Amino acid sequence: MSTTDGAPLSAHVDAITDAGEYLARSSKPLRLPDGREIGAISEVPRLYVTRAFARLAHAPVLPYATRLEMLAKAADLFENAVLEGQSIDDYLDLVGLCAGVPRAVAQASIAAIARTLRALPDTLAQEIPRGAVTSLDDPRVREGAAYWARQGRTLAVLASGNTPGVHGLWPSALALGYAVAVRPSSREPFTPQRLVRAFREAGFTSHVALLPTDHEVADVLVEQADRALVYGGQSVVDKYAADPAVLTQGPGRSKTVITDDVDWRAHLDTVAASVAGLGGVACTCTTAVLVEGDRARAEEFGAALAERLAESEAGEHRTELPLVTARQLAQYVERVGQGTTAHGRTDIVETVAPDTAVLHPVVRVAADAKAPVLGVELPFPCVWIAPFSRADGIAPLVGSLVVAAITEDMEFAQRLLDEPGIANVYVGAHTTTWMKAGVPHDGYLSEHLMRTKGVIR
Amino acid sequence: MSVPGAPDWSILDIDPLQQTVTDADAYVRTLMQWHFGTETGSPFWLRRRADLDFDPLTDVKTVEDLAQFPNVVDEFRDIAAEDLVPRGLGDSPKIAAVFESGGTTGRPKRFVMFEDWFTRYLAWAGRKAASGLGGSGINLLATTPSGPHMIGEVTVRQSHALGGKRFTIDIDPRWVKKLIERGQTDELRAYVDHLVDQTADILVTQDVGMIQTIPILLTKIAERPELVDLVRSKVKRIAWGGAHMDPDTRAILREEVFPGIPIVGGYGSTTILSVAVERKEEQPSGLATFDPFSPYVFFRVVDPDTGRPVAHGERGQIVMNHITKFAFIPNNLERDTAIRVPAEDGHIGDAVADVAPVKSFDGTNVTEGVY
């Protein structure tokens, strides 16, 4: 096993706190998608976690401006510095191999995280309620104002490892004055490891921790923290549904809807990019497309989309998976897709290296927009299509992180915006994966972490 | 128990100093005569002998040969306690208690603790894990299971040896397992906090010199700064057992939370009617290492798939053996795994380090819980 420049690839991920890096006696192997072992990740016990939180809760709160400066400095360190002996090239090699993505994709994710950190002064300026101040010295306090206050001292993050991009969100908690502990995913723990190192180097010496644990101890982070941000599947969403301190980032079930007042042929590229962009793994990737009209129209659209995906696939990166996982996913598609029409390639598993495979896009058409299969979100380009009618209401679009509405009907767009079960609405020729710093992803994180308090002095 | 004309059973007398058995194979041969002799064996083994496909009296000549025996502990869930009493012990041997296993993997199993064995085993344990506190008059705080569980009665004897008073908080480990199996984690947390609160009350109000408890209680005490201060100022020794303590928690407790206070583990099981004692000398591995009361109790660490021993330093599943004139419980494949460590010089079997629960056992999910 060697990297692009021939150096041996090995990886160690240990806990990081204000006390430094801690190599635990308990650990588990880190593996590439093909099963090869490249190192180990420490697993710290409950007592280590609770002691780390006791210290995080007492980390000094630095001034707002200082925090923002430190975050910008951290962005530079994250992108360029040698951190604990790790160069940016070493890091990109690790991320690319573990996530099964090409270096260019890893590099783009990394650049996006750094951009997000640098943009925090602007994005937080947009997030803060207009009537709120961040300092008792603000002259507005003399007249009486709202103070933007933290709802707690500590944030726990149970991260996922499907894309480095998930680590673009939680650093804003540092800007807001929280102390943050991240439990990395063992699939790709290198991004939070590097971020935490960069934050410490930039001055957040006692405000951030990396706490790799087994699944059982992961709950301890949530129990100990004042607020939590938890990534996972539907079971995770259900588990924490009743806990207002926990913000879950579950399946996105993002959808594209095309009304009959537009010509879908003009938007095939947009939809194909929504389905297959970011490797099809992101929660913003389109899982279902609702095409206004009858089933025949939906089938026609499905055939055209399958063709377009196949054309664009050649130039696209495809996420590499363990062969076993790829086969399981293909079987799962067959099981849940019973009764749907398949378009495009049906043998979707392609072995590209020993024990490693890629999955070709799945395009399937269901009989109607109520079919439960429309909510089946899988970590590769897989899209379910169904006929739809505006007259029947927007129920099939509820429960979506993003709805891209390719429509001219602004009254329809307004109904989508007014629906609480839809987090984002992009109207017109936009992909569901569209994003921009300052535009919320699932609400602003600050909605979960902050509140206003009345203040006068 | 010497009768003219009968075999010389004296080698079977338990020696807390571990000196009388110089030939473990000879010990095993005498033991076979005892347990499978109609005058001396227990009703259970005399009956069970018919189902064996070998003759213990002629085919078992060495410690190694004991491996021929099947694991019979599952039968201990149903047999009458009377059937476990070897006739050779006389008409009314003094029985300290009937203890039950925790029920980690199904219904509990029952074992008879004879006073003679209990006393001698405790004398050995007291010697091996010498605290220097014997007769000092310090008080013991025991937050442990009682009732059917061996540890409760052990703390009674411990406290007598210390010469002080015993404060107790009861733990019901079987209820804990039920809570875990039902996924009632909130209830479980509340129960553990309830145990800590009760323990805290004694720590605050009483003069406690030694604590005997389970790992999670030590972790929870360590999480409350006011309790840490009390333990540091009052307690001279901490003993734990009953469940797995991971090596990082052990290191944090010893080095950061309670530096200078000996923290000593015990690895016991009702199926061996004793507790293996943690080695005093810190091991190069930094792992808690346990020695059983050999040759009366010994461990083997095996690959569960082949039954063969794993190499020293490798992890395997623990096979426990209790081979005394009081009970014969060979080849019990336990729920736990451990790293195989050479036994001390002159002792049979293996020492075990870094004991941890296995994930699944005999088709039943293992719920370790607190004990």
Side-chain angles (χ1 to χ4, degrees), chain A residues 22-27 43-51 55 214 216 219-220 223-224, chain B residues 185 189 216 218-220 222-223 246-249 251-253 255-257 285-287 354:
Chain A
Y22 176 82
L23 167 64
R25 291 159 182 81
S26 301
S27 65
E43 291 189 326
V44 297
R46 174 189 172 90
L47 187 55
Y48 187 91
V49 172
T50 55
R51 288 171 69 76
R55 299 196 301 276
D214 65 15
E216 207 176 315
D219 284 341
V220 179
E223 166 202 309
Q224 292 285 307
Chain B
T185 47
R189 203 171 296 151
I216 185 64
L218 292 178
T219 294
K220 289 281 190 165
E223 286 170 12
D246 72 84
D248 291 291
T249 298
I252 294 167
L253 288 172
E255 291 159 21
E256 297 179 28
V257 187
S285 61
L287 302 172
D354 194 27

Side-chain angles (χ1 to χ4, degrees), chain B residues 94-337:
Chain B
K94 194 172 178 203
I95 290 171
V98 177
F99 290 131
E100 295 188 354
S101 63
T104 302
T105 53
R107 288 164 50 227
K109 307 158 194 132
R110 283 170 204 88
F111 301 86
V112 179
M113 176 67 92
F114 293 95
E115 185 60 39
D116 192 6
W117 162 251
F118 203 15
T119 309
R120 288 164 191 262
Y121 141 66
L122 286 171
W124 165 80
R127 182 174 68 81
K128 287 296 283 185
S131 62
L133 298 169
S136 66
I138 63 165
N139 296 332
L140 175 68
L141 165 54
T143 301
T144 70
S146 60
H149 306 284
M150 184 170 62
I151 185 65
E153 188 59 25
V154 168
T155 65
V156 172
R157 312 284 173 123
Q158 243 177 347
S159 171
H160 288 164
L162 294 171
K165 287 174 276 302
R166 184 177 71 121
F167 299 98
T168 56
I169 300 299
D170 196 21
I171 297 177
D172 183 348
R174 293 182 192 163
W175 183 241
V176 167
K177 275 158 203 157
K178 283 244 158 68
L179 292 177
I180 295 172
E181 279 159 15
R182 295 174 185 172
Q184 291 171 300
T185 47
D186 288 348
E187 285 295 314
L188 175 64
R189 203 171 296 151
Y191 184 68
V192 172
D193 286 343
H194 174 56
L195 296 174
V196 182
D197 292 341
Q198 297 175 85
T199 304
D201 193 59
I202 293 174
L203 269 175
V204 170
T205 59
Q206 303 299 321
D207 185 18
V208 173
M210 176 173 168
I211 295 175
Q212 171 81 51
T213 191
I214 54 175
I216 185 64
L217 255 285
L218 292 178
T219 294
K220 289 281 190 165
I221 288 171
E223 286 170 12
R224 296 197 190 174
E226 73 283 7
L227 296 185
V228 170
D229 288 344
L230 281 171
V231 170
R232 283 180 176 169
S233 65
K234 292 182 178 180
V235 172
K236 296 176 180 62
R237 186 176 176 84
I238 296 169
W240 60 269
H244 169 235
M245 183 187 287
D246 72 84
D248 291 291
T249 298
R250 179 173 177 267
I252 294 167
L253 288 172
R254 288 159 69 110
E255 291 159 21
E256 297 179 28
V257 187
F258 303 121
I261 304 174
I263 301 179
V264 184
Y267 175 54
S269 168
T270 331
T271 63
I272 51 171
L273 289 160
S274 60
V275 176
V277 170
E278 184 175 347
R279 264 186 204 173
K280 270 190 166 172
E281 314 77 46
E282 188 61 14
Q283 301 299 298
S285 61
L287 302 172
T289 303
F290 301 95
D291 290 301
F293 186 13
S294 159
Y296 314 111
V297 176
F298 70 94
F299 298 153
R300 288 186 295 121
V301 182
V302 304
D303 178 334
D305 295 329
T306 64
R308 294 213 186 85
V310 299
H312 288 134
E314 297 289 316
R315 185 172 287 279
Q317 208 162 331
I318 302 174
V319 177
M320 291 187 166
N321 301 268
H322 176 109
I323 55 164
T324 67
K325 65 178 178 178
F326 300 98
F328 180 57
I329 311 162
N331 280 327
N332 172 33
L333 184 66
E334 265 290 332
R335 68 184 201 224
D336 300 323
T337 71

Side-chain angles (χ1 to χ4, degrees), chain A residues 369-410:
Chain A
K370 293 192 202 94
V373 75
L374 299 189
V376 173
E377 178 170 324
L378 297 173
F380 72 100
C382 173
V383 63
W384 312 95
I385 297 165
F388 168 79
S389 163
R390 270 174 286 176
D392 294 340
I394 60 168
L397 292 161
V398 175
S400 307
L401 177 63
V402 182
V403 172
I406 303 181
T407 184
E408 299 291 338
D409 181 352
M410 289 309 113

